[in-house]
Amino acid sequence: MLRDIRDLSISINTARAGHFDTYYYGNLGMINAGHNNDYPLLLLLPPTSSFNSVYKNDETVTCVFHCYQPMPTPETAVIGVNALAFSIENSHDELLSRLKKTLETLSLNNEYQYILTGSWQVERIQEEFNDGLVGIVVTCSINKFTHCLAQVQ
């Protein structure tokens, strides 16, 4: 089981290349540690698992992803409450797009191992950790298979 979570984390780290500058697996305290993170940042909290049949070892993993980047600073010509709100909304959309692309890459690179399932829950955050970060928290499920589903020829 621990090896499976490690493999999932390694696969997510590989898939995030080009979409997020930094990846962590662990807890929220890692984001703020030392204040020397490169952004945009992706953090996976330890997932929960459920098994329909423990004998098959196929599981549904519920993942909680935290995605962060620095608070946007609107252009000086358009400074105002509406401009800042618009910039924050754009940051949320950009982070969600980056996560979607990461998970699409995860699915494509591991076609017979991970399948995204169900709906996503997305929470939008601003001014996180007193560091001027804007972010999203996404909860989603991934079915993980230990046996190849492809036909053997």
Side-chain angles (χ1 to χ4, degrees):
M1 177 72 149
L2 291 176
R3 181 182 50 80
D4 294 341
I5 297 299
R6 184 187 69 228
D7 291 346
L8 174 63
S9 179
I10 290 169
S11 295
I12 290 170
N13 189 30
T14 301
R16 67 94 188 161
H19 307 297
F20 289 94
D21 291 345
T22 304
Y23 169 77
Y24 292 123
Y25 173 85
N27 59 53
L28 290 173
M30 299 173 81
I31 294 173
N32 205 341
H35 299 280
N36 60 353
N37 298 310
D38 292 324
Y39 295 96
L41 178 143
L42 175 64
L43 167 74
L44 172 62
L45 298 181
T48 58
S49 298
S50 62
F51 296 87
N52 288 333
S53 171
V54 292
Y55 301 108
K56 289 184 178 178
N57 202 26
D58 297 338
E59 69 182 293
T60 299
V61 180
T62 301
C63 297
V64 179
F65 293 98
H66 288 251
C67 309
Y68 296 103
Q69 66 185 25
M71 247 336 234
T73 53
E75 299 296 323
T76 54
V78 291
I79 289 181
V81 174
N82 289 338
L84 181 59
F86 183 71
S87 294
I88 292 169
E89 290 168 3
N90 283 342
S91 294
H92 289 143
D93 291 344
E94 179 185 341
L95 286 169
L96 186 57
S97 177
R98 288 175 181 272
L99 183 61
K100 285 179 181 177
K101 289 175 184 174
T102 297
L103 294 180
E104 286 171 7
T105 303
L106 173 73
S107 293
L108 291 173
N109 290 349
N110 302 279
E111 189 174 6
Y112 298 109
Q113 190 172 3
Y114 304 115
I115 298 176
L116 297 173
T117 62
S119 61
W120 289 17
Q121 179 181 348
V122 180
E123 177 186 356
R124 290 162 180 83
I125 301 168
Q126 80 181 58
E127 296 288 339
E128 189 72 1
F129 302 114
N130 294 323
D131 285 337
L133 298 178
V134 62
I136 60 171
V137 179
V138 177
T139 303
C140 65
S141 295
I142 299 173
N143 280 345
K144 185 191 72 58
F145 300 98
T146 55
H147 305 292
C148 182
L149 300 176
Q151 276 188 331
V152 179
Q153 305 236 353

